[in-house]
């Protein structure tokens, strides 16, 4: 049933925060969320308080970690520049997979 639900959900456009929240609530395949995680990690604005609450603490913190990893070279203190991310899609996907603990390969 979950595979059928995933196939049908993947056919429609769902806003990234809502999609992540929905897939988490029903314990659906997180590998299908890579594009949503990447969008949130790469967009100009960080997560809002409302979005963070919808996603939950763990997911919000992992997205924040991915944003930090995707942004610029670290400063001498280890922080990353707050400039917009310009990473190639493959590099960003690698960061998302690493931060969220998603293995490579098909979902």
């Amino acid at each position: 049933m979950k595979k059928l639900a995933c196939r049908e959900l993947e056919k429609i456009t769902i806003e990234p925060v809502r999609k992540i929240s929905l897939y988490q609530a029903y314990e659906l395949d997180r590998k299908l969320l890579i594009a949503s995680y990447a969008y949130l990690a790469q967009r100009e604005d960080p997560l809002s308080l409302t979005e963070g609450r919808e996603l939950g603490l763990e997911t919000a913190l992992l997205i924040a970690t991915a944003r930090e990893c995707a942004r610029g070279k670290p400063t001498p203190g280890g922080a990353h520049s707050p400039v917009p991310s310009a990473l190639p899609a493959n590099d960003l996907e690698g960061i998302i997979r690493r931060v969220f603990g998603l293995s490579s390969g098909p979902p």
Side-chain angles (χ1 to χ4, degrees):
M1 289 302 277
K2 285 185 179 185
K3 287 181 182 182
L4 174 61
C6 286
R7 279 196 308 270
E8 294 303 312
L9 285 170
E10 289 299 304
K11 293 177 184 177
I12 59 176
T13 302
I14 304 171
E15 184 271 328
V17 171
R18 181 69 188 127
K19 183 174 183 175
I20 294 167
S21 176
L22 182 65
Y23 278 53
Q24 287 179 156
Y26 294 99
E27 299 178 355
L28 301 177
D29 191 346
R30 292 183 339 156
K31 290 179 190 172
L32 297 172
L33 297 173
I34 290 173
S36 295
Y37 293 142
Y39 172 81
L40 295 173
Q42 196 171 33
R43 74 178 187 184
E44 188 173 321
D45 297 324
L47 291 175
S48 69
L49 185 56
T50 302
E51 291 171 329
R53 285 182 177 146
E54 184 173 345
L55 293 170
L57 180 63
E58 182 178 341
T59 300
L61 288 173
L62 290 173
I63 290 169
T65 299
R67 282 177 64 83
E68 285 295 312
C69 291
R71 295 182 179 276
K73 295 181 180 178
T75 63
H80 291 272
S81 170
V83 298
S85 174
L87 281 176
N90 287 344
D91 290 349
L92 184 57
E93 183 178 329
I95 289 170
I96 296 298
R97 285 183 179 279
R98 187 179 76 246
V99 169
F100 283 88
L102 302 172
S103 62
S104 296

